[in-house]
Amino acid sequence: MNLDSFIAGLPKAELHIHIEGSLEPEMAFALARRNRVSIPFPTVEALRDAYSFSRLQDFLDIYYQGAQVLLTEEDFHDLALAYFDQAAADGVVHAEMFFDPQTHTARGVPFQVVADGLLAGMAAAKAKHGVSSKLILCFLRHLPEDDAFATLKAAEPWLDRIAGVGLDSSELGHPPENFARVFAAAGDIGLKRVAHAGEEGPPAYVVQALDVLHVDRLDHGNRALEDDALTARLAREAMTLTVCPLSNHKLCVVDDLADHPIARMLRLGLRATINSDDPAFFGGYINANYRAVTDLLTREDLITLARNSFLGSFLGPEDIARHVAAVDAFATRAK
Ligand code: ADE
Ligand code: ZN
């Protein structure tokens, strides 16, 4: 079996996908038409051409602007289902999906519209593709912690359908410790905790994510590799890292995909996974992210990455064991 078919056939979980980052330009134009709002680009091609970034903030500016076409429950349903159509075609059998409620509530779109729309899309994906999923509510770190508290409060009626909280948006200048109290509150109500750290921010931000936010999983984590003791700790604690190769390249976290640290992470014993982050903006869904770094990896590494995606998920132990067994069965068949 050739490598592309092997990657496509591997059962996998996606643990780092911002649902707003799966808004393809074609859908942005379709929703703008449906909702009678305007987009400041003349064509789909012009919008796609604007997807050229030299740092995280360049991307975030256009990502928040793009989200303005999302207004109704149907929009959020359609967005989620379109992602799951792509993910299922890529062999994703489970996804843990970030959403950024503040991006929408700040524009007057109620939390209810966002949450119910996404949950309906997730249910439709389960029925259509058999893909299971969980929701992770992200706090925007460029906003004050009080706003994050207000968002957690607004989420109260949905907390039985939300697996955890995350922390995203502009990393530099917004350290994890600024969100210590809201993460503690989320932990107290039994939510899982994850945070973006070490994407652009220094290793000290990764340490804060561990020691102050008490994360169950780390998003990106690339810059942890600058600190040997921290790297050894992440390996010892079997901390899952949700790594996003195409994102890292598009946002200039790595200059060249040939130098991407994914293989080094695995050699150092880190529980790394491969994910798409914001696939509509960075040039591909999960299999494209695997393919982008296959030159650095062995087939055994690809199997490890797929196994890690389930081991690092928030599924229960029986589901994890079932999915890991499916990875192993595929690997044996594909030899
Ligand atoms: N929001 C969406 N994608 C993000 C990323 N890669 N880093 C931080 N915030 C984000
Ligand atoms: Zn991300």
Side-chain angles (χ1 to χ4, degrees):
M1 183 181 288
N2 74 34
L3 217 46
D4 285 359
S5 308
F6 186 78
I7 290 167
L10 264 176
K12 45 190 109 55
E14 174 139 68
L15 305 180
H16 188 152
I17 163 73
H18 300 262
I19 197 61
E20 295 89 348
S22 71
L23 178 62
E24 294 284 349
E26 290 78 4
M27 181 177 267
F29 271 85
L31 295 184
R33 227 173 292 120
R34 184 158 93 188
N35 292 326
R36 298 191 170 80
V37 295
S38 68
I39 291 188
F41 291 92
T43 60
V44 164
E45 292 69 33
L47 179 55
R48 207 180 286 283
D49 285 349
Y51 294 175
S52 165
F53 317 109
S54 53
R55 63 179 74 81
L56 174 59
Q57 194 60 50
D58 295 348
F59 154 70
L60 290 171
D61 292 343
I62 202 159
Y63 161 84
Y64 294 131
Q65 187 183 60
Q68 292 179 16
V69 298
L70 296 162
L71 291 173
T72 67
E73 263 183 66
E74 189 186 11
D75 297 343
F76 287 96
H77 164 280
D78 292 356
L79 177 69
L81 189 54
Y83 161 70
F84 283 110
D85 286 345
Q86 294 280 349
D90 271 5
V92 170
V93 294
H94 177 70
E96 300 188 355
M97 188 166 99
F98 297 135
F99 72 118
D100 287 342
Q102 289 154 292
T103 300
H104 313 298
T105 52
R107 300 181 285 118
V109 177
F111 188 95
Q112 173 270 323
V113 165
V114 182
D116 285 346
L118 293 177
L119 288 162
M122 292 159 68
K126 178 79 187 160
K128 185 173 176 187
H129 300 296
V131 178
S132 61
S133 56
K134 292 181 183 287
L135 262 187
I136 299 178
L137 183 167
C138 280
F139 302 123
L140 298 181
R141 68 202 306 161
H142 67 272
L143 297 176
E145 191 183 33
D146 282 353
D147 275 42
F149 266 112
T151 304
L152 189 58
K153 178 99 188 111
E156 255 167 25
W158 286 270
L159 288 182
D160 56 334
R161 284 152 288 166
I162 291 176
V165 294
L167 186 66
D168 65 358
S169 192
S170 323
E171 187 179 9
L172 290 171
H174 303 287
E177 65 186 6
N178 292 357
F179 295 86
R181 293 178 314 125
V182 75
F183 267 66
D188 286 344
I189 40 182
L191 293 170
K192 297 284 188 190
R193 289 167 280 188
V194 302
H196 285 53
E199 180 183 20
E200 284 189 340
Y205 283 21
V206 174
V207 174
Q208 286 180 21
L210 299 175
D211 291 339
V212 182
L213 303 188
H214 302 290
V215 293
D216 298 287
R217 197 160 74 201
L218 193 63
D219 297 315
H220 296 293
N222 298 48
R223 289 197 58 195
L225 297 186
E226 294 169 22
D227 180 329
D228 291 344
L230 174 59
T231 304
R233 175 184 175 188
L234 292 169
R236 200 170 52 244
E237 294 180 1
M239 177 57 63
T240 301
L241 268 57
T242 63
V243 181
C244 307
L246 288 174
S247 163
N248 291 161
H249 188 234
K250 284 279 156 61
L251 299 183
C252 305
V253 169
V254 299
D255 292 334
D256 188 341
L257 277 168
D259 300 325
H260 193 278
I262 189 71
R264 228 179 110 214
M265 288 172 167
L266 293 177
R267 306 293 166 259
L268 289 164
L270 294 170
R271 190 194 267 172
T273 61
I274 286 187
N275 307 273
S276 68
D277 204 3
D278 301 283
F281 294 83
F282 299 147
Y285 288 77
I286 196 166
N287 287 352
N289 277 273
Y290 271 81
R291 288 194 300 270
V293 287
T294 38
D295 284 354
L296 307 170
L297 301 170
T298 65
R299 254 179 216 233
E300 208 46 56
D301 290 333
L302 297 172
I303 296 163
T304 299
L305 288 160
R307 293 172 116 253
N308 286 352
S309 73
F310 296 108
L311 295 171
S313 75
F314 295 143
L315 288 166
E318 284 171 13
D319 284 330
I320 291 177
R322 178 171 55 83
H323 286 303
V324 169
V327 172
D328 292 344
F330 171 80
T332 305
R333 265 198 326 274
K335 282 244 162 80

